[in-house]
Amino acid sequence: MKFKILREKIKQAVSVAEKITGKDTSLAILGNIMLKAEDNRLSVIATNLETGIIWDLLAKTETAGSAVLSAGIFSGLISSLPGSTLLIDKKNDTISVIDGKTKSNLISLPPEEFPTLPVIDGGDYFTVRADVFCRALAQVAGFSGTSSVKPEINGVCVVINGDNIKIVATDSFRLGEKKISAAGKGGLSKEYSIILPARAVREIMMVFGGIQKNIIIYLSDNQIMVDFSDDEGGDRSRIRFTSRLIDGEFPDYQAIIPDSHSAQIGFLKKEILFQLKPAQIFSGKNSEITVDVSVKDKTAKIASRAAEFGGYEGEMELITADGKDLSIVFNNRFLIDGLSAITGDECFFEFSGDDGPALLRTKNDDDFIYIIMPIKKY
């Protein structure tokens, strides 16, 4: 194996691939990346057996071949070299990285021991803007669970029906749903509902979050592949990210979205956050705060109390208030999380009684809703 490549190109690919490598000491090979050179193309490959990446780069290949190198050491070496073009040459099990007058040698593991990444070749797919998809994932990802009993809530559910995409996460106590649209005509034979593991969500955002172009997402019953090709400026790079899916059925969350409300209030996000943040100090181990709404006075009182050291009381004016007065207890941290996820400052809370689910939305974004379950009062 012998090839020349621009250092910045391989540096970017190797840096990302390093983050996807596995840390399983019983399978030490997963802590490495594979380099595969052929046909003026270099593939940088990494996997942790749950997710994996193949990043193809333009290279000047003199001799085809492959090598398996320590991800951390190789990434650190590439980042530290000053040159613009690198010559990488393999002789037997030794990889030489030549940068001008400097030469570094690394030992390659046997390439045949490196796991083969499963790649979806054709089939059902949809197209979406990479940055739009990643922002939607980021908006709800923090609401997913960590349950050993319900693994189906330990990820993000993506429902694709034609041009409509819903991205949902829940831990059974709160739920976020973001709606986006596909970019152009896809190729789906049916409606899909898939559950992406939390790690896959983080890695998709890391790899594709800064790309303002379309990606193609291929689907199968137990796997997805996110595919991005960039021919701009003769770059001819391609990224394929694969992930297993969580096996199971996502909860029927539509059933808990209130279709009516007994009270609705409108308020400024910055005003309620001004109340919630000091209330958090006194909200105790269960992070409990009480919200008392007076429809007539168009006010909301927010209170928290810690028996051992004191309490907090505050009042905010509401923009609108309709329906019945109510007193409801929330997890304050969950409430702050939901408010932080929404865009825009003018918000609405719709309550279905003192102990029913409450719906939070913003005036300027009908495509995002946040559902929070109250803490029952005994």
Side-chain angles (χ1 to χ4, degrees):
M1 180 179 78
K2 188 176 182 180
F3 63 91
K4 288 182 179 180
I5 192 165
L6 293 174
R7 187 182 73 90
E8 282 301 316
K9 294 296 183 183
I10 191 172
K11 174 186 171 183
Q12 181 186 17
V14 169
S15 175
V16 170
E18 181 191 4
K19 295 178 176 66
I20 294 177
T21 56
K23 304 297 187 286
D24 190 340
T25 55
S26 63
L27 287 171
I29 193 75
L30 298 179
N32 297 267
I33 60 174
M34 174 181 274
L35 303 180
K36 186 175 182 181
E38 59 182 352
D39 300 329
N40 287 328
R41 184 179 74 250
L42 174 70
S43 297
V44 178
I45 307 169
T47 183
N48 53 62
L49 298 185
E50 181 180 284
T51 63
I53 191 168
I54 304 172
W55 194 320
D56 296 331
L57 301 164
L58 189 64
K60 186 177 181 181
T61 306
E62 295 184 27
T63 307
S66 56
V68 175
L69 304 172
S70 165
I73 291 174
F74 187 58
S75 179
L77 173 62
I78 296 297
S79 297
S80 66
L81 294 174
S84 60
T85 303
L86 303 178
L87 172 63
I88 298 179
D89 188 11
K90 178 182 180 183
K91 289 184 172 62
N92 298 320
D93 292 333
T94 301
I95 305 298
S96 297
V97 181
I98 302 167
D99 175 20
K101 295 182 179 180
T102 70
K103 180 179 179 180
S104 305
N105 292 325
L106 300 92
I107 303 302
S108 170
L109 297 176
E112 59 271 16
E113 294 182 7
F114 196 81
T116 300
L117 265 67
V119 174
I120 302 177
D121 187 13
D124 282 9
Y125 70 93
F126 67 97
T127 303
V128 66
R129 267 273 298 242
D131 54 338
V132 172
F133 185 65
C134 290
R135 281 198 302 270
L137 289 174
Q139 207 166 355
V140 306
F143 311 140
S144 61
T146 56
S147 171
S148 58
V149 180
K150 299 179 180 179
E152 62 274 10
I153 67 171
N154 297 344
V156 174
C157 179
V158 182
V159 180
I160 313 101
N161 184 7
D163 294 337
N164 301 312
I165 303 170
K166 293 179 182 179
I167 300 175
V168 190
T170 183
D171 61 3
S172 298
F173 303 104
R174 69 286 188 50
L175 176 148
E177 179 196 71
K178 176 67 176 178
K179 297 177 182 177
I180 60 175
S181 297
K185 185 173 176 60
L188 296 176
S189 61
K190 60 179 182 178
E191 177 179 332
Y192 275 84
S193 178
I194 62 173
I195 308 173
L196 293 171
R199 176 168 185 166
V201 171
R202 292 192 300 270
E203 291 172 352
I204 288 171
M205 292 189 294
M206 173 188 67
V207 176
F208 302 100
I211 297 175
Q212 297 179 344
K213 297 180 181 179
N214 291 344
I215 51 178
I216 301 173
I217 301 182
Y218 293 93
L219 304 164
S220 70
D221 290 336
N222 58 9
Q223 183 187 351
I224 69 159
M225 184 178 80
V226 185
D227 192 353
F228 170 70
S229 295
D230 189 5
D231 295 328
E232 202 169 274
D235 193 36
R236 286 170 48 195
S237 65
R238 183 183 184 189
I239 306 171
R240 284 167 288 172
F241 175 88
T242 63
S243 174
R244 291 181 180 177
L245 300 174
I246 293 177
D247 185 22
E249 188 172 342
F250 199 73
D252 180 15
Y253 72 93
Q254 296 285 351
I256 68 165
I257 297 178
D259 55 9
S260 62
H261 56 266
S262 59
Q264 181 191 69
I265 61 173
F267 56 91
L268 295 178
K269 182 172 74 171
K270 63 182 180 181
E271 294 292 339
I272 194 171
L273 287 174
F274 180 80
Q275 300 289 340
L276 294 177
K277 288 179 179 178
Q280 179 70 24
I281 298 169
F282 301 94
S283 61
K285 64 179 181 179
N286 294 325
S287 197
E288 292 185 11
I289 57 116
T290 301
V291 179
D292 290 307
V293 173
S294 170
V295 172
K296 180 182 177 181
D297 297 335
K298 290 176 66 173
T299 60
K301 294 180 179 179
I302 294 171
S304 61
R305 182 160 299 281
E308 63 274 25
F309 55 85
Y312 174 85
E313 292 182 359
E315 182 176 294
M316 58 179 283
E317 294 184 1
L318 303 174
I319 299 172
T320 61
D322 299 299
K324 300 178 180 178
D325 293 351
L326 78 153
S327 178
I328 191 167
V329 180
F330 287 121
N331 179 301
N332 194 38
R333 181 171 60 84
F334 289 174
L335 190 50
I336 291 173
D337 287 348
L339 287 161
S340 300
I342 65 177
T343 58
D345 196 37
E346 189 171 341
C347 304
F348 295 93
F349 234 140
E350 297 176 2
F351 303 98
S352 51
D354 293 346
D355 56 4
L359 186 151
L360 176 65
R361 60 184 176 85
T362 181
K363 181 178 181 180
N364 299 321
D365 184 6
D366 290 335
D367 292 330
F368 177 77
I369 58 170
Y370 181 72
I371 308 292
I372 181 170
M373 299 297 297
I375 298 173
K376 291 186 177 180
K377 295 179 285 187
Y378 295 99

